[in-house]
Amino acid sequence: MTQVNRADFLRAGAGTLAVASLRWPARRASASEPVEVTLRSAPLRDGLAYNGTIPGPLLRVAHGQRIRVRYVSGVDVPTSVHWHGLLLPNDMDGVAGLTQAAVHRGGEYVYDFVAGPSGTRWYHDHAFQLGMARGLFGMFVVEDRNEEPADAEFALVFHDVPVWNSIEAALRGMGTAPMNDPMGSPESMQMDGGKMGDEVTYAAHCINGASYPNVKRLAVRLGERVRLRLLNASPTLTRYVRLAGHSLTVTHADGNALAAPVEVDALRIATGERYDAIVVVRDPGAFLLEGLGGDSLASQQAVVVYTEGMENAPPLRASPTLEGARVFSYELAGGIAAAAHSEPPDFEMTLGGGGWKNPRWTIDDRVWPQTPKLRVQRGQVATLRFRNTSEMDHPMHLHGHIFALTEVDGKSLLRPLSKDVVLVAANGGTVTWRIVADAPAGRWLLHCHNEVHMVDGMMSELVYVS
Ligand code: C2O
Ligand code: CU
């Protein structure tokens, strides 16, 4: 059976030190013909778009393929394009003010690189002017030639459209109350009088740029293996994705193979994260795939998956709560080691800040650019622990490296997850990363992927000292 083979392949493909299986793309002779792409940003309705659509075009190339992206700005805010989860030379990383100058209206920048590692990656604006929240993002798939193809595949980009003055209020620490876990206790979602915070209010929740029922439906055949590539491009929100009546077999986190697939009923996906999951529909019908969230409009983030002839059947909905559901977690995918061995990390960072009228999100009580830097030697294997003392979750992201997630909330993982974004839970959550310092020399940003927190100071950088 193909499914068994696939599982065996996935197990064989990822060792215990999963990070070791991720290779930089082989440098090919520069004579190899690059794939040429032009990306143009321009205003679209109240937002900004690449090539006229939100999300921007799905870019898809083979591992090791050279791609040349000419980015042309047609917008009034400074912009740049970051290739999230790809391993690239520093001057291709696309961080305005750090790895390149910002691109202004009429200007351009050429990104020319060899695509890798394989998996579900993405690209987005990175010039600290909320370009991503306005719509400048898209999925980037690097095909793995060794992977057995699924029978069908769908790319699903989740995003949320902010109410613009609410994002500005959130930047000043005057948004609504923090709403971390959309499936948490109802009390945690209420705004209680004076306790305002940093949450943004949203006008719409989308999948592939539209809200339910206007999202393009997904046609599947009975019994086929369907791969979903899921990206959460929300400026701030964590989502729980589920498909009514079905489980999801999660195979990859942030584009990188898990040591073994994990079957769940719901998939938690933080801002910036990607997951690949296989679903098999065995009975005819129409089923709603939803990104469950906490606000009253959250049901807009849904799409119908249907089998032949069932396109217009009323879709089955999943239960609105996660009670009794198996929910994907880092611990579930990695397994928890019996003995928590607590070697002190090489580096530790305390995440803090936020709250009423506090527009500062801090690392070790400081805001960017005063935050402490991670100074590493080439070839060093460094461990970094985050401790979150604030009242909001923080999806922390490192550029230029794929690290191993080795610890979550005091629990060591048996099979560390290869990732580039990890959600650090509010009110005391911890996570530890093992980073192999093997990127090209340069400045590699380390930051919270919540766009409000990033702009309000929660950033640091990894610097090569030798
Ligand atoms: Cu997805 Cu610094 O970025
Ligand atoms: Cu944050």
Side-chain angles (χ1 to χ4, degrees), residues 82 84 122 124 126 397 399 445 447 449:
H82 168 57
H84 181 133
W122 64 303
H124 59 77
H126 216 311
H397 168 51
H399 288 219
L445 204 62
H447 64 91
H449 220 289

Side-chain angles (χ1 to χ4, degrees), residues 393-395 448 450 453 458:
D393 295 343
H394 300 293
C448 177
N450 176 312
H453 299 176
M458 193 175 272

